[in-house]
Amino acid sequence: MSTTTLNPAPGETSLATLLSTLKTRLHPETFVFLTLAKGEAPPASLFIQMLFREAEGLTVITTQESAEAHRLEYIFPSKMITLDIHSSLEAVGFMAAVSAKLTESGIGVNPVSGFFHDHCFVPLGKEQDALKALDTLARIRAVDDGMSSLGKGLYNRFNNVRQRHRF
């Protein structure tokens, strides 16, 4: 079996583009976090959103409904917000900007990066505030980009006139 490395990683890396084109998608399910002892496998019928192996055990993100159906103890009932832009795994600053905006709004977040998208798990009951904060972040960035483009356009026109009239 041969392996191939995609270099660079696919997806958007420009922080300006990531932020100015940011769209969000709220998932209706309530998600929870749980842990299984080292070496313990999750039940075969457990819905698994994410698994992550740590030295202390296996972290599982699943739906609250599935955890309760399997009588598993869980913490952090949360809503998942998908950031609907194909961000590169090598993008710099995207999740930091998202986290900073949520922090500014007093909202904790557990971010998870998938191959195609980043996802934010926010406390149950805070999802609408989180969506509003992320929408504000995207709109501010889009306006900043637009003003930057407008400013460049005006500057270029001014320089053209200045050169023609030699002032």
Side-chain angles (χ1 to χ4, degrees), residues 108-147:
V109 62
N110 285 290
V112 172
S113 294
F115 191 89
F116 295 101
H117 303 285
D118 295 296
H119 311 273
C120 297
F121 291 88
V122 298
L124 187 61
K126 296 282 192 173
E127 61 272 12
Q128 293 304 320
D129 293 337
L131 289 169
K132 184 178 175 184
L134 295 174
D135 181 59
T136 299
L137 176 64
R139 281 188 290 117
I140 288 170
R141 187 58 204 214
V143 167
D144 285 350
D145 287 353
M147 292 302 287

Side-chain angles (χ1 to χ4, degrees), residues 4-167:
T4 303
T5 301
L6 299 175
N7 201 1
E12 184 60 58
T13 58
S14 164
L15 181 58
T17 301
L18 287 165
L19 293 174
S20 65
T21 60
L22 175 62
K23 301 282 186 257
T24 57
R25 182 169 27 107
L26 177 65
H27 297 263
E29 302 90 350
T30 297
F31 289 90
V32 296
F33 288 62
L34 59 94
T35 186
L36 299 173
K38 199 173 190 177
E40 185 181 349
S45 61
L46 181 70
F47 172 81
I48 296 174
Q49 184 67 34
M50 188 203 80
L51 292 175
F52 196 86
R53 291 190 198 291
E54 299 182 273
E56 299 84 357
L58 185 67
T59 296
V60 180
I61 301 176
T62 184
T63 61
Q64 184 174 5
E65 179 181 11
S66 189
E68 289 175 352
H70 289 85
R71 296 188 175 101
L72 296 170
E73 289 186 31
Y74 59 83
I75 62 168
F76 195 63
S78 54
K79 290 292 186 175
M80 181 171 73
I81 299 172
T82 295
L83 307 179
D84 262 342
I85 183 164
H86 183 182
S87 55
S88 171
L89 290 167
E90 296 175 357
V92 176
F94 182 47
M95 289 309 294
V98 166
S99 181
K101 187 62 177 177
L102 293 173
T103 297
E104 183 182 291
S105 300
I107 302 167
V109 62
N110 285 290
V112 172
S113 294
F115 191 89
F116 295 101
H117 303 285
D118 295 296
H119 311 273
C120 297
F121 291 88
V122 298
L124 187 61
K126 296 282 192 173
E127 61 272 12
Q128 293 304 320
D129 293 337
L131 289 169
K132 184 178 175 184
L134 295 174
D135 181 59
T136 299
L137 176 64
R139 281 188 290 117
I140 288 170
R141 187 58 204 214
V143 167
D144 285 350
D145 287 353
M147 292 302 287
S148 182
S149 296
L150 177 64
K152 287 177 189 172
L154 289 173
Y155 177 79
N156 289 337
R157 283 189 202 143
F158 172 75
N159 272 341
N160 289 340
V161 170
R162 187 174 59 100
Q163 287 173 356
R164 277 192 301 239
H165 298 286
R166 308 248 190 260
F167 64 87

